[in-house]
Every structure is written in C-alpha cells, then in structure tokens.
Amino acid sequence: MAAPPSVTMGNLTGDWVMNKNISNDTDPLLKLQGAPWLIRQAIAWSSVTLHIKQYSTDKTAHIDTDLTASGGIKGTSEPRALNWVFRGHSDHVFGTVKDKNRWVHLADVTDPFLREGWCDGDGEEAGPDGQKLMENWAENEERNWTASQIWGFGTVNGERRHVRRVVVTKGDTVLKLRLVYDWRGKK
C-alpha cells in the first residue's frame, strides 16, 4: 500500500512490509554479505516486516527498526542515531558490523544508482536543514564488505513508497538493490 502524505522520513514510525513484487531479489546481496544460506532461504520465502520507531533525543534523530518474518520469527534489531558517528553491533544475519547514519540532501549523493527515483516535492523535508533522505554507511571487516544505503520516498508504479537503495561492495564485486515497502500503519 502506498504511504500516506503524513508519513515522511521525519515520521517513519509504523509497520512496513517489503513488497517483493517490486523490490529486487535480496539473495545475491545477502550471499555477498555472508548471510547464512538457511537465513537467506527464510527471507526469500517469508514476508519481511519492519517495525519502526522514530524519535529524537538531544537534537539527534533516532530510527529503531525491529525486523520480523512471517509467523513472528524475530529478525535483526537495528537502532540508528542520525549523527554520523560509527556504532558497532553484531547479529545472526550480517555478523559484526559498524555503521553510521545521517540526514542527506540529494545533491550530496554521488552514486548514480543511489540518486535515482526520489520524491522531490514539498512536504518531504525531514532533516534539520531540509534534507529529504537518510544515508547509512556500514562496514564488516570480518567479511570484507561495505554497504552504502539511501532511504527516502520514491514514486514506484505511480505510487509514493518508502524506498531503500543499497550498494554493497566486496573486493571487485559491486551489487545494487532497490527495496520497496508497503505501509501497514501504526499499532
């Protein structure tokens, strides 16, 4: 379901389900990142829901995400502070990762794939300086990969959707992925 205009990058709180019909296949990217085969199969065959809570503390935005698969199977938990400071965490899908997050203007995004398809209308502003997008940079030194993500809202098949564009690099291999989410509402 398309996201209502009241739901923006400044207010993502609610439940989002990955729409596999209009998202790219996640398996090649997860395999490159070293995710175990059984977990990749579970992701491929189940519905993936993001339970997002967004809030601010001391002028820093936070986006905390708990992932679940069909049947209530717990996935990863990803707390994010949009302050561009590295934070480490470890989970059963991605291993030991350090990442950092921040608000970003489209003009500051350099990768052509990450720049594609974003809504640019009034009301999309979320960051303190009118930014409409969120940037995430992640590194896994053990598995030797990096990931660059941009989150925002884009028009997909004529509807406004929450979209995440991801570029993962491991050695000479670069994979690109677009994830599109259906709005399920607030609980």
Side-chain angles (χ1 to χ4, degrees), residues 2 5 18 22 38 45 50-51 55 68 78 91 93-94 103 107-108 113 117 129-130 150-152 154 160 181:
M18 185 193 315
I22 52 180
L38 189 57
W45 290 100
L50 309 178
H51 307 281
Y55 58 96
T68 57
E78 301 175 352
D91 64 53
V93 177
F94 300 107
W103 295 113
D108 298 323
F113 175 77
D129 296 319
I150 300 294
W151 299 8
R160 183 176 169 276
Y181 295 90

Side-chain angles (χ1 to χ4, degrees), residues 64-135:
D64 295 347
T65 306
D66 290 318
L67 286 81
T68 57
S70 302
I73 299 169
K74 182 160 176 39
T76 61
S77 292
E78 301 175 352
R80 301 176 190 276
L82 279 67
N83 59 7
W84 209 236
V85 173
F86 273 115
R87 172 194 65 83
H89 72 279
S90 185
D91 64 53
H92 61 285
V93 177
F94 300 107
T96 301
V97 177
K98 65 179 183 178
D99 73 330
K100 57 185 178 177
N101 306 276
R102 67 179 171 184
W103 295 113
V104 67
H105 291 285
L106 182 60
D108 298 323
V109 178
T110 57
D111 184 288
F113 175 77
L114 295 176
R115 291 181 53 83
E116 293 177 14
W118 301 110
C119 292
D120 195 30
D122 291 337
E124 295 295 335
E125 298 82 5
D129 296 319
Q131 300 97 326
K132 298 178 182 182
L133 304 169
M134 194 275 290
E135 178 180 18

Side-chain angles (χ1 to χ4, degrees), residues 124-168:
E124 295 295 335
E125 298 82 5
D129 296 319
Q131 300 97 326
K132 298 178 182 182
L133 304 169
M134 194 275 290
E135 178 180 18
N136 168 265
W137 174 262
E139 301 174 4
N140 184 313
E141 293 175 358
E142 265 179 8
R143 297 181 185 174
N144 197 31
W145 57 259
T146 62
S148 181
Q149 293 187 52
I150 300 294
W151 299 8
F153 284 86
T155 302
V156 180
N157 297 335
E159 295 182 313
R160 183 176 169 276
R161 303 281 187 140
H162 177 47
V163 176
R164 298 179 181 189
R165 289 183 165 271
V166 185
V167 176
V168 173

